Amino acid sequence: QRALWMYESVDSASGLLATAAEAYRMAWAEAGRDPEEAVVGACCHMWGAATSARARAEFLPRYARYWDFVDELITVSSGFSMRPAAEAFLDGPAIVGRPAEVVDRLGRRRELLGVERQICMFDLGGMPLPEVLASIELLGAEVLPQLGATLAQP
């Protein structure tokens, strides 16, 4: 049976996650499992639109509401407030932009980490269902065909 390992949803060039992915693969092999069967997965917040400006305009106000909610949960449970700026996550756990940008970001994850499975969360911060569906449909039509070609290559 194949294993799916999910890690923090951060697109990082620092090498930290690449090191973690490699450690996972090594532990997999040391446990006597076939290294070819180790599966690395990641998760991200995602939003796509025809232009980068439109994607950010639609996503950021709602993403800020989402992080306000998360911060409130953290504050209630720990007494500590993060109060992150939503924009700070656009180079991290959020992949937001036109289809070509989304393809590039997901491609970088694959190159850095060997990601084979990707969970994309679209519905954050009270986004209207028609807009969520439009973003999913756009990325399904314009991103997935391009990723399919790259994912088929080792």
Side-chain angles (χ1 to χ4, degrees), residues 96-117:
V96 177
R98 67 185 195 287
E101 289 174 290
V102 172
V103 169
D104 288 345
R105 291 280 305 280
L106 291 173
R108 280 201 317 269
R109 282 182 174 206
R110 183 169 188 264
E111 290 171 17
L112 285 171
L113 309 172
V115 170
E116 297 174 288
R117 303 283 191 277

PDB file of all heavy atoms in Angstrom, residues 96-117:
ATOM      1  N   VAL A  96      -1.999  32.006  -5.831  1.00  0.00           N
ATOM      2  CA  VAL A  96      -3.027  32.897  -6.360  1.00  0.00           C
ATOM      3  C   VAL A  96      -2.496  33.561  -7.615  1.00  0.00           C
ATOM      4  O   VAL A  96      -1.386  34.082  -7.626  1.00  0.00           O
ATOM      5  CB  VAL A  96      -3.389  33.976  -5.322  1.00  0.00           C
ATOM      6  CG1 VAL A  96      -4.414  34.953  -5.873  1.00  0.00           C
ATOM      7  CG2 VAL A  96      -3.891  33.330  -4.038  1.00  0.00           C
ATOM      8  N   GLY A  97      -3.300  33.543  -8.678  1.00  0.00           N
ATOM      9  CA  GLY A  97      -2.879  34.237  -9.895  1.00  0.00           C
ATOM     10  C   GLY A  97      -3.577  33.722 -11.126  1.00  0.00           C
ATOM     11  O   GLY A  97      -4.550  32.971 -11.051  1.00  0.00           O
ATOM     12  N   ARG A  98      -3.038  34.115 -12.256  1.00  0.00           N
ATOM     13  CA  ARG A  98      -3.559  33.624 -13.527  1.00  0.00           C
ATOM     14  C   ARG A  98      -3.060  32.183 -13.712  1.00  0.00           C
ATOM     15  O   ARG A  98      -2.123  31.751 -13.032  1.00  0.00           O
ATOM     16  CB  ARG A  98      -3.141  34.541 -14.663  1.00  0.00           C
ATOM     17  CG  ARG A  98      -1.673  34.569 -14.958  1.00  0.00           C
ATOM     18  CD  ARG A  98      -1.333  35.624 -16.035  1.00  0.00           C
ATOM     19  NE  ARG A  98      -0.015  35.408 -16.549  1.00  0.00           N
ATOM     20  CZ  ARG A  98       1.118  35.675 -15.894  1.00  0.00           C
ATOM     21  NH1 ARG A  98       1.072  36.181 -14.672  1.00  0.00           N
ATOM     22  NH2 ARG A  98       2.288  35.431 -16.454  1.00  0.00           N
ATOM     23  N   PRO A  99      -3.663  31.423 -14.609  1.00  0.00           N
ATOM     24  CA  PRO A  99      -3.301  30.009 -14.745  1.00  0.00           C
ATOM     25  C   PRO A  99      -1.802  29.750 -14.930  1.00  0.00           C
ATOM     26  O   PRO A  99      -1.263  28.818 -14.323  1.00  0.00           O
ATOM     27  CB  PRO A  99      -4.119  29.561 -15.955  1.00  0.00           C
ATOM     28  CG  PRO A  99      -5.356  30.408 -15.870  1.00  0.00           C
ATOM     29  CD  PRO A  99      -4.852  31.755 -15.418  1.00  0.00           C
ATOM     30  N   ALA A 100      -1.115  30.553 -15.710  1.00  0.00           N
ATOM     31  CA  ALA A 100       0.323  30.318 -15.922  1.00  0.00           C
ATOM     32  C   ALA A 100       1.109  30.433 -14.614  1.00  0.00           C
ATOM     33  O   ALA A 100       2.060  29.671 -14.390  1.00  0.00           O
ATOM     34  CB  ALA A 100       0.874  31.293 -16.957  1.00  0.00           C
ATOM     35  N   GLU A 101       0.722  31.365 -13.746  1.00  0.00           N
ATOM     36  CA  GLU A 101       1.395  31.507 -12.447  1.00  0.00           C
ATOM     37  C   GLU A 101       1.154  30.289 -11.567  1.00  0.00           C
ATOM     38  O   GLU A 101       2.063  29.821 -10.877  1.00  0.00           O
ATOM     39  CB  GLU A 101       0.895  32.753 -11.723  1.00  0.00           C
ATOM     40  CG  GLU A 101       1.354  34.048 -12.347  1.00  0.00           C
ATOM     41  CD  GLU A 101       0.708  35.230 -11.677  1.00  0.00           C
ATOM     42  OE1 GLU A 101      -0.516  35.412 -11.858  1.00  0.00           O
ATOM     43  OE2 GLU A 101       1.428  35.956 -10.967  1.00  0.00           O
ATOM     44  N   VAL A 102      -0.068  29.784 -11.596  1.00  0.00           N
ATOM     45  CA  VAL A 102      -0.403  28.607 -10.798  1.00  0.00           C
ATOM     46  C   VAL A 102       0.410  27.410 -11.279  1.00  0.00           C
ATOM     47  O   VAL A 102       0.973  26.659 -10.475  1.00  0.00           O
ATOM     48  CB  VAL A 102      -1.919  28.332 -10.851  1.00  0.00           C
ATOM     49  CG1 VAL A 102      -2.267  27.016 -10.187  1.00  0.00           C
ATOM     50  CG2 VAL A 102      -2.692  29.488 -10.204  1.00  0.00           C
ATOM     51  N   VAL A 103       0.514  27.235 -12.592  1.00  0.00           N
ATOM     52  CA  VAL A 103       1.327  26.141 -13.147  1.00  0.00           C
ATOM     53  C   VAL A 103       2.771  26.271 -12.683  1.00  0.00           C
ATOM     54  O   VAL A 103       3.391  25.290 -12.251  1.00  0.00           O
ATOM     55  CB  VAL A 103       1.245  26.120 -14.694  1.00  0.00           C
ATOM     56  CG1 VAL A 103       2.288  25.187 -15.287  1.00  0.00           C
ATOM     57  CG2 VAL A 103      -0.143  25.724 -15.152  1.00  0.00           C
ATOM     58  N   ASP A 104       3.318  27.485 -12.742  1.00  0.00           N
ATOM     59  CA  ASP A 104       4.708  27.702 -12.326  1.00  0.00           C
ATOM     60  C   ASP A 104       4.914  27.365 -10.852  1.00  0.00           C
ATOM     61  O   ASP A 104       5.880  26.696 -10.487  1.00  0.00           O
ATOM     62  CB  ASP A 104       5.137  29.148 -12.578  1.00  0.00           C
ATOM     63  CG  ASP A 104       5.320  29.455 -14.051  1.00  0.00           C
ATOM     64  OD1 ASP A 104       5.402  28.522 -14.876  1.00  0.00           O
ATOM     65  OD2 ASP A 104       5.378  30.658 -14.382  1.00  0.00           O
ATOM     66  N   ARG A 105       4.008  27.833  -9.984  1.00  0.00           N
ATOM     67  CA  ARG A 105       4.160  27.577  -8.546  1.00  0.00           C
ATOM     68  C   ARG A 105       4.054  26.094  -8.230  1.00  0.00           C
ATOM     69  O   ARG A 105       4.844  25.569  -7.445  1.00  0.00           O
ATOM     70  CB  ARG A 105       3.104  28.353  -7.753  1.00  0.00           C
ATOM     71  CG  ARG A 105       3.254  29.853  -7.735  1.00  0.00           C
ATOM     72  CD  ARG A 105       4.283  30.366  -6.738  1.00  0.00           C
ATOM     73  NE  ARG A 105       4.097  29.930  -5.366  1.00  0.00           N
ATOM     74  CZ  ARG A 105       3.235  30.453  -4.499  1.00  0.00           C
ATOM     75  NH1 ARG A 105       2.454  31.449  -4.836  1.00  0.00           N
ATOM     76  NH2 ARG A 105       3.179  29.987  -3.265  1.00  0.00           N
ATOM     77  N   LEU A 106       3.080  25.421  -8.840  1.00  0.00           N
ATOM     78  CA  LEU A 106       2.945  23.988  -8.582  1.00  0.00           C
ATOM     79  C   LEU A 106       4.138  23.222  -9.151  1.00  0.00           C
ATOM     80  O   LEU A 106       4.602  22.246  -8.553  1.00  0.00           O
ATOM     81  CB  LEU A 106       1.628  23.466  -9.158  1.00  0.00           C
ATOM     82  CG  LEU A 106       0.369  23.973  -8.437  1.00  0.00           C
ATOM     83  CD1 LEU A 106      -0.879  23.540  -9.184  1.00  0.00           C
ATOM     84  CD2 LEU A 106       0.330  23.508  -6.989  1.00  0.00           C
ATOM     85  N   GLY A 107       4.655  23.675 -10.280  1.00  0.00           N
ATOM     86  CA  GLY A 107       5.844  23.055 -10.865  1.00  0.00           C
ATOM     87  C   GLY A 107       7.052  23.203  -9.952  1.00  0.00           C
ATOM     88  O   GLY A 107       7.851  22.268  -9.807  1.00  0.00           O
ATOM     89  N   ARG A 108       7.200  24.377  -9.327  1.00  0.00           N
ATOM     90  CA  ARG A 108       8.316  24.582  -8.386  1.00  0.00           C
ATOM     91  C   ARG A 108       8.208  23.646  -7.199  1.00  0.00           C
ATOM     92  O   ARG A 108       9.207  23.097  -6.725  1.00  0.00           O
ATOM     93  CB  ARG A 108       8.368  26.028  -7.908  1.00  0.00           C
ATOM     94  CG  ARG A 108       9.030  26.957  -8.899  1.00  0.00           C
ATOM     95  CD  ARG A 108       9.541  28.249  -8.283  1.00  0.00           C
ATOM     96  NE  ARG A 108       8.669  28.905  -7.327  1.00  0.00           N
ATOM     97  CZ  ARG A 108       7.760  29.839  -7.643  1.00  0.00           C
ATOM     98  NH1 ARG A 108       7.605  30.207  -8.896  1.00  0.00           N
ATOM     99  NH2 ARG A 108       7.026  30.395  -6.709  1.00  0.00           N
ATOM    100  N   ARG A 109       6.997  23.434  -6.710  1.00  0.00           N
ATOM    101  CA  ARG A 109       6.810  22.484  -5.600  1.00  0.00           C
ATOM    102  C   ARG A 109       7.249  21.088  -6.008  1.00  0.00           C
ATOM    103  O   ARG A 109       7.880  20.377  -5.248  1.00  0.00           O
ATOM    104  CB  ARG A 109       5.350  22.436  -5.163  1.00  0.00           C
ATOM    105  CG  ARG A 109       4.958  23.574  -4.316  1.00  0.00           C
ATOM    106  CD  ARG A 109       3.532  23.435  -3.878  1.00  0.00           C
ATOM    107  NE  ARG A 109       3.278  24.518  -2.942  1.00  0.00           N
ATOM    108  CZ  ARG A 109       2.383  24.472  -1.999  1.00  0.00           C
ATOM    109  NH1 ARG A 109       1.629  23.418  -1.854  1.00  0.00           N
ATOM    110  NH2 ARG A 109       2.226  25.480  -1.199  1.00  0.00           N
ATOM    111  N   ARG A 110       6.877  20.731  -7.209  1.00  0.00           N
ATOM    112  CA  ARG A 110       7.259  19.401  -7.680  1.00  0.00           C
ATOM    113  C   ARG A 110       8.773  19.282  -7.779  1.00  0.00           C
ATOM    114  O   ARG A 110       9.359  18.289  -7.371  1.00  0.00           O
ATOM    115  CB  ARG A 110       6.612  19.098  -9.026  1.00  0.00           C
ATOM    116  CG  ARG A 110       6.936  17.695  -9.503  1.00  0.00           C
ATOM    117  CD  ARG A 110       6.078  17.310 -10.693  1.00  0.00           C
ATOM    118  NE  ARG A 110       6.280  15.922 -10.989  1.00  0.00           N
ATOM    119  CZ  ARG A 110       7.133  15.466 -11.910  1.00  0.00           C
ATOM    120  NH1 ARG A 110       7.866  16.304 -12.603  1.00  0.00           N
ATOM    121  NH2 ARG A 110       7.252  14.172 -12.124  1.00  0.00           N
ATOM    122  N   GLU A 111       9.421  20.309  -8.330  1.00  0.00           N
ATOM    123  CA  GLU A 111      10.885  20.283  -8.460  1.00  0.00           C
ATOM    124  C   GLU A 111      11.576  20.273  -7.098  1.00  0.00           C
ATOM    125  O   GLU A 111      12.519  19.521  -6.888  1.00  0.00           O
ATOM    126  CB  GLU A 111      11.359  21.498  -9.255  1.00  0.00           C
ATOM    127  CG  GLU A 111      11.004  21.452 -10.713  1.00  0.00           C
ATOM    128  CD  GLU A 111      11.297  22.777 -11.414  1.00  0.00           C
ATOM    129  OE1 GLU A 111      12.053  23.604 -10.860  1.00  0.00           O
ATOM    130  OE2 GLU A 111      10.746  22.985 -12.512  1.00  0.00           O
ATOM    131  N   LEU A 112      11.142  21.137  -6.176  1.00  0.00           N
ATOM    132  CA  LEU A 112      11.797  21.254  -4.872  1.00  0.00           C
ATOM    133  C   LEU A 112      11.547  20.057  -3.968  1.00  0.00           C
ATOM    134  O   LEU A 112      12.431  19.623  -3.239  1.00  0.00           O
ATOM    135  CB  LEU A 112      11.307  22.498  -4.136  1.00  0.00           C
ATOM    136  CG  LEU A 112      11.830  23.840  -4.600  1.00  0.00           C
ATOM    137  CD1 LEU A 112      11.064  24.967  -3.907  1.00  0.00           C
ATOM    138  CD2 LEU A 112      13.311  23.963  -4.299  1.00  0.00           C
ATOM    139  N   LEU A 113      10.323  19.546  -3.995  1.00  0.00           N
ATOM    140  CA  LEU A 113       9.898  18.579  -2.995  1.00  0.00           C
ATOM    141  C   LEU A 113       9.528  17.212  -3.555  1.00  0.00           C
ATOM    142  O   LEU A 113       9.350  16.278  -2.785  1.00  0.00           O
ATOM    143  CB  LEU A 113       8.693  19.126  -2.228  1.00  0.00           C
ATOM    144  CG  LEU A 113       8.846  20.538  -1.666  1.00  0.00           C
ATOM    145  CD1 LEU A 113       7.529  21.024  -1.122  1.00  0.00           C
ATOM    146  CD2 LEU A 113       9.933  20.567  -0.607  1.00  0.00           C
ATOM    147  N   GLY A 114       9.364  17.117  -4.853  1.00  0.00           N
ATOM    148  CA  GLY A 114       8.902  15.860  -5.425  1.00  0.00           C
ATOM    149  C   GLY A 114       7.437  15.598  -5.137  1.00  0.00           C
ATOM    150  O   GLY A 114       7.009  14.448  -5.019  1.00  0.00           O
ATOM    151  N   VAL A 115       6.648  16.661  -5.025  1.00  0.00           N
ATOM    152  CA  VAL A 115       5.220  16.520  -4.715  1.00  0.00           C
ATOM    153  C   VAL A 115       4.514  15.769  -5.827  1.00  0.00           C
ATOM    154  O   VAL A 115       4.633  16.095  -7.003  1.00  0.00           O
ATOM    155  CB  VAL A 115       4.574  17.909  -4.505  1.00  0.00           C
ATOM    156  CG1 VAL A 115       3.061  17.813  -4.432  1.00  0.00           C
ATOM    157  CG2 VAL A 115       5.127  18.565  -3.258  1.00  0.00           C
ATOM    158  N   GLU A 116       3.778  14.734  -5.424  1.00  0.00           N
ATOM    159  CA  GLU A 116       3.002  13.938  -6.370  1.00  0.00           C
ATOM    160  C   GLU A 116       1.501  14.070  -6.146  1.00  0.00           C
ATOM    161  O   GLU A 116       0.716  13.682  -7.004  1.00  0.00           O
ATOM    162  CB  GLU A 116       3.388  12.466  -6.243  1.00  0.00           C
ATOM    163  CG  GLU A 116       4.837  12.208  -6.605  1.00  0.00           C
ATOM    164  CD  GLU A 116       5.215  10.780  -6.337  1.00  0.00           C
ATOM    165  OE1 GLU A 116       5.343  10.421  -5.150  1.00  0.00           O
ATOM    166  OE2 GLU A 116       5.358  10.037  -7.314  1.00  0.00           O
ATOM    167  N   ARG A 117       1.117  14.568  -5.003  1.00  0.00           N
ATOM    168  CA  ARG A 117      -0.291  14.779  -4.675  1.00  0.00           C
ATOM    169  C   ARG A 117      -0.434  16.199  -4.160  1.00  0.00           C
ATOM    170  O   ARG A 117       0.359  16.658  -3.354  1.00  0.00           O
ATOM    171  CB  ARG A 117      -0.769  13.830  -3.583  1.00  0.00           C
ATOM    172  CG  ARG A 117      -0.600  12.370  -3.889  1.00  0.00           C
ATOM    173  CD  ARG A 117      -1.661  11.879  -4.867  1.00  0.00           C
ATOM    174  NE  ARG A 117      -1.649  10.441  -4.967  1.00  0.00           N
ATOM    175  CZ  ARG A 117      -0.830   9.742  -5.741  1.00  0.00           C
ATOM    176  NH1 ARG A 117       0.062  10.362  -6.475  1.00  0.00           N
ATOM    177  NH2 ARG A 117      -0.897   8.430  -5.784  1.00  0.00           N
TER     178      ARG A 117
END
